Amino acid sequence: MTEAKITRVRSVMQTQFLVVEGIMTVADALSALKAENANALVVQKRHDDDEYGIVLLSDIAKKVIAKDRSLQRVNLYEIMSKPVISVPPGMDIRYCARLFEQFGLSVAPVLEDGVVIGMVNYESMVFGVAEGDA
């Protein structure tokens, strides 16, 4: 019997991601997202005992645009999700996909020793498995 190959989060995560300060306005965040062709921002910790936050495009749509709030006057800390659910780089992506399903996630930061080292999403998991099988 052949043992199944395990694909780890580390091998499929995106290493290019944006980390920003919570005081940044939504307007500035959208400019950064567009420039990097990204759909999520990690919000930096304010101090060692703080936690990371995350802002998705859907957060901006639901919490700013739908409520007719000003992109220039709303700061990320007002709309971010915090604490963010993160995954370790050594996690099997099958369990990562299950975690996403269970908690309704579409993207998560990858944390190692308390520091964000990457981002993982459904796309990177699916294409990561497809590349491994090719």
Side-chain angles (χ1 to χ4, degrees):
M1 186 168 175
T2 307
E3 191 172 316
K5 180 180 177 252
I6 296 175
T7 303
R8 307 273 178 203
V9 168
R10 181 184 305 281
S11 67
V12 300
M13 71 182 186
Q14 300 167 342
T15 56
Q16 298 293 321
F17 56 94
L18 295 169
V19 179
V20 298
E21 297 294 329
I23 195 74
M24 179 183 260
T25 66
V26 171
D28 291 338
L30 285 172
S31 295
L33 286 165
K34 189 173 183 181
E36 295 295 322
N37 195 27
N39 60 6
L41 296 164
V42 175
V43 180
Q44 185 62 271
K45 293 180 175 186
R46 292 175 294 154
H47 50 78
D48 288 341
D49 293 319
D50 198 10
E51 295 297 328
Y52 289 103
I54 194 165
V55 176
L56 307 177
L57 287 177
S58 59
D59 294 322
I60 296 169
K62 294 173 187 176
K63 298 174 183 177
V64 181
I65 296 170
K67 294 185 177 184
D68 199 26
R69 298 175 72 188
S70 170
L71 299 175
Q72 292 78 22
R73 298 193 62 173
V74 176
N75 300 96
L76 295 180
Y77 71 82
E78 298 176 68
I79 63 167
M80 69 181 172
S81 297
K82 183 177 178 176
V84 64
I85 296 175
S86 61
V87 297
M91 179 183 272
D92 183 328
I93 64 168
R94 293 177 297 176
Y95 295 117
C96 185
R98 292 175 194 170
L99 181 77
F100 275 33
E101 175 63 24
Q102 184 175 8
F103 290 99
L105 304 176
S106 59
V107 62
V110 180
L111 259 66
E112 185 170 57
D113 298 324
V115 177
V116 178
I117 62 166
M119 297 289 280
V120 64
N121 58 30
Y122 280 123
E123 182 179 352
S124 61
M125 283 188 273
V126 170
F127 288 125
V129 169
E131 287 174 8
D133 286 344

